[in-house]
């Protein structure tokens, strides 16, 4: 198994991850806020190497202002089980203007992907094989390059990681914890 696993050890990410995995109270407002913060941090970590910014110069009367904007042709697709993780990934649409959300259970021929689109599989707990089946489908049927895909999760199972590593050794996985359950 030669898998690219990034274990996110930043203190903010670890504190939020511990809170979310220990509390599991879905009707608590603080739980939702911390989930959204953790989702923003995870999406940031996944995309910070591949996100392209473009310099825009605005001429003012006395000076030139430089700002950086997201490259306009870059689009993202986040595939997740939206019934369990919608509250975690909702801020991604605010950060990335060209983002679509797809339910992992509904990946089929009706969904079209662009050639340069970055695909992120997000799972709260990567402990089943839905993500592997979805990756298989996209690689075989949609002919999407594995380098366009990344996996992000809060907790992942080492058995699922080993199976992903056997099939897709170049896939990048971002997580806060790896467990043996």
């Amino acid at each position: 198994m030669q898998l690219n696993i990034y274990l996110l050890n930043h203190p903010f990410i670890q504190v939020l991850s511990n809170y979310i995995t220990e509390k599991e109270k879905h009707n608590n407002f603080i739980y939702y806020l911390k989930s959204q913060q953790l989702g923003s941090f995870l999406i940031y970590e996944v995309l910070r190497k591949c996100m392209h910014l473009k310099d825009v110069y605005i001429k003012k009367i006395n000076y030139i202002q430089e700002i950086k904007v997201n490259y306009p042709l870059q689009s993202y697709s986040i595939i997740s089980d939206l019934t369990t993780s919608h509250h975690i990934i909702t801020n991604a649409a605010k950060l990335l203007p060209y983002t679509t959300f797809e339910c992992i259970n509904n990946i089929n021929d009706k969904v079209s992907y662009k050639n340069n689109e970055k695909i992120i599989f997000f799972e709260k707990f990567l402990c089943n094989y839905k993500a592997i089946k979805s990756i298989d489908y996209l690689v075989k049927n949609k002919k999407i390059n594995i380098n366009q895909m990344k996996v992000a999760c809060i907790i992942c199972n080492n058995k699922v990681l080993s199976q992903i590593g056997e099939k897709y050794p170049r896939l990048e996985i971002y997580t806060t914890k790896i467990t043996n359950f």
Side-chain angles (χ1 to χ4, degrees), residues 21-144:
T21 55
E22 291 172 7
K23 295 295 179 185
E24 284 295 322
K25 292 181 182 175
H26 297 291
N27 58 358
N28 188 350
F29 183 68
I30 296 172
Y31 174 84
Y32 281 114
L33 288 177
K34 291 188 180 208
S35 297
Q36 287 179 344
Q37 290 172 341
L38 179 61
S40 297
F41 284 136
L42 283 172
I43 296 298
Y44 164 75
E45 287 292 333
V46 169
L47 294 178
R48 73 179 177 150
K49 292 179 185 175
C50 65
M51 185 179 238
H52 301 289
L53 297 177
K54 187 174 185 176
D55 292 331
V56 175
Y57 299 97
I58 301 172
K59 185 172 179 171
K60 303 281 185 164
I61 294 176
N62 295 328
Y63 64 96
I64 296 175
Q65 181 181 5
E66 177 186 0
I67 60 172
K68 296 190 180 290
V69 295
N70 190 17
Y71 187 69
L73 300 177
Q74 189 68 43
S75 62
Y76 305 93
S77 183
I78 298 177
I79 300 172
S80 180
D81 185 358
L82 297 175
T83 59
T84 60
S85 62
H86 71 281
H87 58 284
I88 299 173
I89 58 175
T90 52
N91 277 347
K94 295 175 188 173
L95 298 171
L96 307 167
Y98 301 106
T99 303
T100 59
F101 295 93
E102 299 294 332
C103 188
I104 199 164
N105 300 326
N106 296 335
I107 295 180
N108 53 29
D109 291 328
K110 295 178 185 174
V111 179
S112 62
Y113 296 98
K114 300 171 188 157
N115 289 337
N116 61 348
E117 186 172 38
K118 303 291 184 198
I119 298 172
I120 302 167
F121 289 92
F122 183 87
E123 289 288 329
K124 189 173 177 181
F125 304 113
L126 187 64
C127 58
N128 58 28
Y129 300 100
K130 283 193 279 188
I132 297 173
K133 291 177 185 175
S134 299
I135 293 169
D136 288 341
Y137 177 80
L138 292 177
V139 168
K140 292 175 185 168
N141 296 347
K142 297 287 189 173
K143 307 295 185 221
I144 295 177

